[in-house]
Amino acid sequence: MNLGELRTAVSSRIAVPTAGDALAYDASIDACINAALRDISSEQSWPWLLTSSSPTFAYGVAVIPTGCGRIKTFAIDGLPVPQASLEDVLSGAKQWVWAEDGVNIRLSPTPSSTPTATLWYYRVEPTLVRDADLPLLPVVHHQTLVARASYHLNVRRSDATRVAADLAEYERGLKNMMQSVHRGTSPKVIRSAYRDQATARWT
């Protein structure tokens, strides 16, 4: 469902009267839908939020992409780069590592040429603005989104009975989402702690 369809679903769920509801205008419902998306995306590192980019470095610093919620891995020339503390990178105490300073990725040592880098990260759900905008959340989980948006709206309306029902449905839906992701995850491979793993170097 797109934003317009989600708004209709939420309005139907909370039974907005034909005459309207002072606490359930379109803008209020849209705000609750976006709040619900943020709630869901913060619950877990969902696979549909995983993406990659190729940051461009200048003097060992590259801007973290807008919408990055959590960095998963960082690689140069296809090889992983270990993460270190910002203090270690700024002081040069560790070499061939990276650190995050909040808005940038910083490398130690500073490369003399532009490295070919790949950043894998989990996005935050983009804010839905236009009726045609679609969430990253798969359609199969949209009913859970509607329940959470309804929860936020009923909190505003001080409807305790509906709030409890919305919360219960959201928690059931969230549990099903987590189980679905777990079933779709490949079996973990046990790796020897003594096996060396190649890591990136740059000049």
Side-chain angles (χ1 to χ4, degrees), residues 70-84:
R70 183 179 73 82
I71 294 174
K72 179 178 174 63
T73 58
F74 173 65
I76 289 178
D77 294 329
L79 293 173
V81 182
Q83 186 174 8

Side-chain angles (χ1 to χ4, degrees), residues 31-165:
C32 290
I33 291 169
N34 282 305
L37 280 171
R38 289 191 296 271
D39 289 345
I40 293 172
S41 57
S42 68
E43 294 280 2
Q44 184 171 300
S45 296
W46 303 105
W48 54 83
L49 298 178
L50 183 62
T51 190
S52 66
S53 69
S54 300
T56 302
F57 282 87
Y59 304 103
V61 179
V63 177
I64 295 173
T66 301
C68 174
R70 183 179 73 82
I71 294 174
K72 179 178 174 63
T73 58
F74 173 65
I76 289 178
D77 294 329
L79 293 173
V81 182
Q83 186 174 8
S85 70
L86 181 59
E87 292 75 13
D88 283 342
V89 168
L90 293 176
S91 67
K94 291 187 178 180
Q95 301 288 288
W96 321 115
V97 295
W98 70 276
E100 178 183 349
D101 68 7
V103 295
N104 300 305
I105 291 174
R106 295 179 177 272
L107 299 179
S108 175
T110 300
S112 58
S113 59
T114 303
T116 302
T118 304
L119 180 71
W120 285 92
Y121 63 94
Y122 292 96
R123 292 170 284 184
V124 295
E125 280 276 2
T127 300
L128 306 182
V129 178
R130 298 170 301 178
D131 279 4
D133 288 349
L134 291 164
L136 299 174
L137 180 73
V139 174
V140 68
H141 302 309
H142 281 193
Q143 186 54 42
T144 300
L145 169 59
V146 169
R148 188 60 174 177
S150 177
Y151 163 83
H152 281 292
L153 200 55
N154 282 319
V155 167
R156 295 185 180 196
R157 302 166 85 206
S158 300
D159 190 332
T161 301
R162 289 180 180 269
V163 163

